[in-house]
Amino acid sequence: MRSVVCEMDLHTRRLETECGMADPFSFSDNLGPKKIIHVHNPAEGLRGILVIDNVAIGPSIGGLRMAPDVSLEECFRLARAMTLKNAAAGLPHGGGKSVLFGDPAMESAKKEKLVRCMAATLREETDYIFGPDMGTNETCMAWVKDEIGRAVGLPAALGGIPLDEIGATGFGIMHACDVALASAGIPFAGARIALQGFGAVGKHAARFLSEKGALVCAVSDTKGSAINANGLDVQALIELKRTGRSVTDLPGAQIQSADEIIGVDCDVLIPAARPDVIRESNVESVRAKLVVSGANIPMTPGAEKRLHEKGILYVPDFIANAGGVICAAMEYAGSTKTAAFDAISEKVRANTEEVIRMSKRDGILPRQAAVDLAMRRLKHAMTVRRFGIF
Ligand code: NAD
């Protein structure tokens, strides 16, 4: 049975849908979204959304998220975040995001059928390149590639660069920290680092930072925080997580609640777990001199403003955590892992420097500087496109 595709082309304001969704025009602006597609195939149990936000710079790259409950507006916000992240990173790609509704832990054969069906339905949407996201992984991308030939985040056997395995995002975080520390006049060697979250981003950031001479003095996961002012054994922490245990099982560390990490005395705090973890209600407890965002939107706008007022420099998420998508874009271009690491270091360092410089020069929030940087590139691209926008 053919999947039903309800498509809205927001550029021409053409609406071809009877899906009864929220009014998409309520959040559209002159950047996008270019297109929203609702996919529905009752026979296969398939329901999904694709938002292609802006492709002025090139075909969009963005993750396929598998989750039971993501709204259209949330999907749009994630797609917009990719537009800004890809533009800021100087990648030849626009921003998009897709959602496949369902429990990501479902039985593998059923998941494969749904992922393949979603990809096949969107075969003609060449302005969107699938990537992994929450609930999907490199195996899912291999299925997508097999169906339509268009995916990043592939297994190494298919020419992919396994970005979580090599720690692409953590590598970029390390470079963002290096630049931010230098701008604050804090030596990298011995700089005290606290990381919230010890998953794909957090553990690799800890690894690269400690290898370069920083002191990882606090880490946390959902079970709690492990703290030692003299430094934690990062390899032992990685081994604990590899064997399914918690960072709180590390011998010799002082163990506190998960939330305590926010107020730990350190030079750099790296939130690398969940959104909105630094907010108005706890921002006063931050004792770090710098905050470098590993997670997406780990701080509320109010908390970012307050940090800035307190003279605590922060590096916004889509500047500091762009390593993963830079790696994905390099993979798509057929590059090697070494070239991907070089690109991450070059782009994350240059953007962190530029955002700090603009923020100081213009007296604006680092986030505003980051958005201005991305918009400058995006608007330039839009002026040289024949049909202008989106
Ligand atoms: P992950 O699932 O591998 O790891 C998340 C970690 O956070 C786990 O250790 C988990 O225990 C911990 N955690 C969850 N809630 C917590 C809490 N309340 N307190 C402390 N720890 C908590 O995820 P990830 O890939 O490392 O991604 C982390 C964040 O970074 C997400 O926001 C993700 O969107 C973002 N991000 C990831 C990448 C990437 O390349 N993986 C790239 C850019 C942004």
Side-chain angles (χ1 to χ4, degrees), residues 107-334:
E107 192 232 325
S108 176
K110 188 172 172 206
K111 187 167 178 173
E112 177 174 354
K113 202 162 134 192
L114 286 182
V115 169
R116 283 181 180 277
C117 189
M118 175 92 175
T121 305
L122 297 172
R123 183 188 308 279
E124 307 306 323
E125 300 304 324
T126 51
D127 267 344
Y128 177 64
I129 300 160
F130 284 84
D133 195 78
M134 282 163 58
T136 61
N137 58 16
E138 56 184 38
T139 304
C140 298
M141 292 308 110
W143 297 330
V144 173
K145 172 90 174 166
D146 184 42
E147 283 297 324
I148 64 170
R150 206 172 62 241
V152 291
L154 297 165
L158 295 183
I161 308 175
L163 60 94
D164 276 345
E165 202 180 298
I166 65 173
T169 303
F171 183 69
I173 298 284
M174 180 269 285
H175 283 289
C177 289
D178 190 18
V179 171
L181 281 163
S183 103
I186 304 169
F188 191 101
R192 295 163 309 139
I193 313 286
L195 291 125
Q196 182 191 47
F198 210 70
V201 176
K203 79 172 174 210
H204 288 295
R207 178 169 66 83
F208 287 118
L209 282 158
S210 65
E211 280 170 7
K212 203 170 162 8
L215 192 74
V216 174
C217 63
V219 301
S220 71
D221 60 20
T222 47
K223 298 262 169 55
S225 305
I227 303 167
N228 186 337
N230 297 319
L232 298 165
D233 181 341
V234 172
Q235 277 311 324
L237 287 164
I238 291 173
E239 186 55 20
L240 280 173
K241 294 301 280 186
R242 194 188 66 76
T243 51
R245 284 177 289 167
S246 161
V247 297
T248 57
D249 293 325
L250 187 75
Q254 182 198 341
I255 305 305
Q256 296 197 2
S257 75
D259 291 345
E260 290 297 316
I261 196 92
I262 301 294
V264 161
D265 185 18
C266 61
D267 294 311
V268 190
L269 173 63
I270 303 174
R274 309 275 314 150
D276 296 340
V277 293
I278 304 178
R279 41 189 181 265
E280 284 82 342
S281 59
N282 65 5
V283 66
E284 300 304 335
S285 68
V286 173
R287 285 198 281 165
K289 299 190 179 78
L290 308 167
V291 179
V292 175
S293 298
N296 292 321
I297 47 167
M299 295 185 274
T300 62
E304 288 190 344
K305 187 163 172 281
R306 187 68 193 123
L307 286 183
H308 189 66
E309 286 165 1
K310 285 167 53 141
I312 299 175
L313 173 66
Y314 69 86
V315 184
D317 46 11
F318 69 85
I319 297 297
N321 73 16
V325 76
I326 295 170
C327 185
M330 294 296 283
E331 175 191 313
Y332 196 69

